């Protein structure tokens, strides 16, 4: 990781894979990740940690069992630990995630969409 300023848009421009988080920084025991998303992810839960979503570009919907949260650029939402959720985007969206190192992107579900973050 670098101790220099980080160009988030530049990091996002460096890859095209969807739902494949890229680690761009570490803050203590937390990782800052960016991802490009489109379509619906999987319903999942993170039992031991909250998960922060910040939209950089596009629109992201965080589906919750009791209603959706729709986020545009510059807006963020924290999914509380233990809350089942499903991120979705009709068109490609670019997001920033903040969560403890080692957090599995598919939470308690696992499966073929599970991805280890790589450094951007």
């Amino acid at each position: 990781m670098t101790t220099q300023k980080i160009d988030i848009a530049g990091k996002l421009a460096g890859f095209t894979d969807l739902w494949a988080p890229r680690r761009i920084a570490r803050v203590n025991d937390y990782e800052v990740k960016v991802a490009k998303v489109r379509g619906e992810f999987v319903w999942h839960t993170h039992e031991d940690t909250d998960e922060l979503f910040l939209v950089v570009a596009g629109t992201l919907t965080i589906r919750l069992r009791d209603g959706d949260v729709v986020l545009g650029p510059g807006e963020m939402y924290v999914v509380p630990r233990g809350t089942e959720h499903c991120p979705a985007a009709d068109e490609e969206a670019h997001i920033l995630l903040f969560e403890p190192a080692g957090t599995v992107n598919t939470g308690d579900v696992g499966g073929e969409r599970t991805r280890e973050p790589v450094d951007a």
Side-chain angles (χ1 to χ4, degrees), residues 5 8 13 19 21-22 27 34 36 39 46-47 50 61 67 70-71 74-76 79 95 98 101 108 110 112 114 120:
K5 70 180 180 179
I8 295 170
W19 301 108
R22 301 297 200 271
V27 180
V34 292
K36 293 181 177 181
H46 302 282
E47 290 297 335
D50 301 333
T61 300
V70 179
L71 304 171
E75 295 180 322
M76 63 177 252
V79 177
I95 61 173
F98 185 73
D108 62 338
E112 65 184 43
T114 300

Side-chain angles (χ1 to χ4, degrees), residues 15 29 38 41 62 67 84 120:
F15 65 96
D29 296 332
R38 184 177 62 236
F41 198 51
I62 306 290
E84 191 176 25

